Amino acid sequence: MQLVFYDQNLNAYFSLEEWTPETRPDNPHAFAHYTIVWLREGRLAAETDFYPFIAEKDHVFFITPGQRMRFGTEFPERATVLSFNKPFYCVELHDAEVSCNGLLFNGAAPSPMIHLDAPDVRSFTLLLEVVRDEMGTADAIQLEMLQLLLKRWIIKSARIARDQLTVHNQGNDQEIDVLRAYSALVEKHFREWHKVGQYAEKMLRSPKTLSNLFRKYGSPSPSEIITERIVLEAKRELIYTKNSVKQIAYGLGFDDPAHFSRYFAKAVGNSPVRFRENGLVNS
């Protein structure tokens, strides 16, 4: 059963639901909202925007609006799913509070994933029960209460992610914040900024400083992150829309469609036309 909160004046949406084999979403599933999926029983074999992954019991993964998921043969017996839109809670606007933008939600694939240990499971289970209770309490402060509960959920998840998703768990918070900020900027500007220098200038850092930092944490280089995000969006449009290659190229900030085609082919190994014609969704 799905529980939904909606504020018509603010267009604020928040929902809590359970995925089971009987309530399995359409395949492929397009996510219109920020989504948090917690596998409670069983495991999931799926593909997020052309990147296959497997999630086990008590894995939690995070989906950014615009991402798509193809479900495989394995679907969990039970998964708890929280969804919300920007008017309900804007992760970019409130990043100073929750420190998750570019860490949990970044628009790229594969989706960030954390694992809950036994104390975490108990903590999130209690928090989930409070969310359920609040969903049934329609009063003047329901919106604020649900926002506070979601904020707590995100903060707890971000803490776990900082510990689990950094190299050898030796992450420096300030350095990780730089990585997050860069990823968040790429998500916001990848259609218009294609050079590392443009992001470095915005962040008041040199391209070399950013490159050294990403290398320290074993991450793809800053230029690779830009390319991966542009190519990912191009793949989405080639597979899921009827937009022409020229339209896609212009929409991604390329003045010359031929330049875009060469850029795509170099990254993927196939031209945009061939990628679309053959449905090369695993490329």
Side-chain angles (χ1 to χ4, degrees):
M1 181 178 68
Q2 184 181 37
L3 302 175
V4 176
F5 168 88
Y6 181 69
D7 185 302
Q8 187 171 4
N9 293 326
L10 299 176
N11 191 33
Y13 172 91
F14 176 78
S15 74
L16 169 64
E17 63 179 315
E18 297 285 331
W19 283 357
T20 68
E22 291 73 30
T23 61
R24 176 178 174 143
D26 295 337
N27 199 15
H29 183 69
F31 290 87
H33 307 302
Y34 292 99
T35 302
I36 303 170
V37 181
W38 173 14
L39 267 66
R40 312 294 297 281
E41 299 291 341
R43 70 183 221 156
L44 172 68
E47 181 181 273
T48 302
D49 281 330
F50 322 111
Y51 290 83
F53 73 96
I54 294 177
E56 307 280 354
K57 183 177 183 295
D58 291 326
H59 277 152
V60 181
F61 57 90
F62 305 83
I63 302 290
T64 302
Q67 292 188 298
R68 288 173 171 82
M69 182 176 292
R70 290 180 179 270
F71 301 105
T73 55
E74 294 185 83
F75 195 82
E77 291 300 312
R78 183 165 63 105
T80 297
V81 183
L82 300 175
S83 298
F84 61 98
N85 64 3
K86 276 190 175 183
F88 181 84
Y89 196 84
C90 178
V91 296
E92 180 181 353
L93 180 64
H94 296 284
D95 188 60
E97 299 175 347
V98 296
S99 299
C100 73
N101 196 26
L103 178 66
L104 302 181
F105 301 104
N106 58 28
S111 301
M113 184 185 301
I114 61 174
H115 178 261
L116 305 183
D117 60 19
D120 292 330
V121 170
R122 289 194 293 271
S123 179
F124 276 94
T125 299
L126 290 173
L127 182 56
L128 178 61
E129 289 307 308
V130 179
V131 173
R132 289 187 188 280
D133 287 344
E134 193 59 40
M135 290 292 280
T137 307
D139 58 20
I141 61 171
Q142 185 183 24
L143 170 62
E144 182 178 357
M145 285 295 295
L146 289 173
Q147 288 172 328
L148 287 171
L149 292 169
L150 176 64
K151 176 181 172 181
R152 179 172 175 80
W153 192 295
I154 292 174
I155 289 173
K156 291 171 69 67
S157 297
R159 285 174 176 169
I160 296 170
R162 282 174 175 269
D163 181 56
Q164 295 182 3
L165 302 181
T166 55
V167 177
H168 306 305
N169 296 332
Q170 297 297 317
N172 175 287
D173 281 350
Q174 291 183 338
E175 292 179 337
I176 293 173
D177 283 341
V178 173
L179 303 184
R180 289 196 311 108
Y182 184 85
S183 296
L185 276 176
V186 170
E187 180 62 23
K188 187 174 182 179
H189 295 290
F190 70 90
R191 294 180 183 274
E192 52 193 3
W193 296 352
H194 294 179
K195 302 294 184 181
V196 175
Q198 294 169 292
Y199 296 93
E201 181 179 359
K202 180 72 172 179
M203 298 176 68
L204 303 179
R205 285 173 167 79
S206 71
K208 184 177 181 180
T209 297
L210 290 176
S211 295
N212 290 339
L213 184 59
F214 275 80
R215 187 181 304 113
K216 174 181 178 179
Y217 284 88
S219 299
S221 71
S223 61
E224 288 171 337
I225 290 175
I226 297 170
T227 298
E228 288 173 0
R229 187 62 186 91
I230 293 171
V231 169
L232 172 59
E233 197 65 27
K235 286 182 175 182
R236 287 176 178 171
E237 296 204 35
L238 288 165
I239 296 300
Y240 299 117
T241 78
K242 295 183 179 180
N243 293 341
S244 68
V245 173
K246 181 184 293 186
Q247 288 173 315
I248 295 171
Y250 291 148
L252 290 173
F254 291 85
D255 295 328
D256 180 7
H259 176 208
F260 164 72
S261 293
R262 292 192 297 270
Y263 184 97
F264 185 91
K266 181 179 179 180
V268 177
N270 292 281
S271 70
V273 172
R274 185 168 182 270
F275 181 89
R276 167 174 275 170
E277 288 177 346
N278 293 280
L280 299 174
V281 295
N282 293 314
S283 295

